[in-house]
Amino acid sequence: FWKVIANWLDFMVVSCGVVEVLAGSELPLNAVFLRLLRLAKVARALRVVKITKVLESLHLLLKCVRSSVEVLFWSLCLLGVIQCIAGMIISQTLKTYLEDASKEAQKE
């Protein structure tokens, strides 16, 4: 129980509340601030639960992508090879036109 920092916060909030009720005096720590921290912790936990319900389809999609990383890698390699071959074909096709000295660049 004492190893988690969030439990320390809960303990401080409860302790301050008990001391405030029993002693009726002001504490050096602001108890309202500690209660707000505790409320923020609860709100964060609720937000995580809500997000997980909303993003189930995204989680499924990411799971599918993770399981198909190898196929995606080889597809990317194949597309890279195809692009390199297409670039070489285009450059060889345009080589004679680019090296032709009789045609000057058009100025606009």
Side-chain angles (χ1 to χ4, degrees):
F1 178 80
W2 298 110
K3 293 179 182 178
V4 179
I5 294 175
N7 292 337
W8 280 94
L9 176 67
D10 289 339
F11 178 75
M12 287 178 53
V13 170
V14 171
S15 300
C16 290
V18 168
V19 169
E20 196 173 39
V21 168
L22 293 178
S25 63
E26 280 294 318
L27 297 173
L29 292 172
N30 190 355
V32 175
F33 176 70
L34 292 174
R35 288 184 190 123
L36 285 175
L37 286 177
R38 188 174 183 192
L39 182 65
K41 186 183 79 160
V42 171
R44 185 185 65 188
L46 290 175
R47 184 178 57 185
V48 168
V49 169
K50 187 172 94 174
I51 287 175
T52 56
K53 287 181 181 178
V54 170
L55 299 178
E56 284 182 23
S57 59
L58 178 63
H59 180 66
L60 178 64
L61 182 65
L62 289 176
K63 194 175 178 183
C64 292
V65 169
R66 247 185 270 128
S67 64
S68 63
V69 168
E70 185 179 349
V71 174
L72 290 173
F73 171 74
W74 287 113
S75 299
L76 183 65
C77 289
L78 180 63
L79 285 173
V81 169
I82 290 171
Q83 281 187 333
C84 287
I85 291 171
M88 287 185 247
I89 291 171
I90 291 172
S91 67
Q92 288 299 316
T93 305
L94 296 175
K95 181 179 179 185
T96 56
Y97 177 76
L98 293 173
E99 290 177 346
D100 191 4
S102 65
K103 297 182 181 177
E104 294 184 19
Q106 296 177 355
K107 295 182 182 178
E108 293 184 20

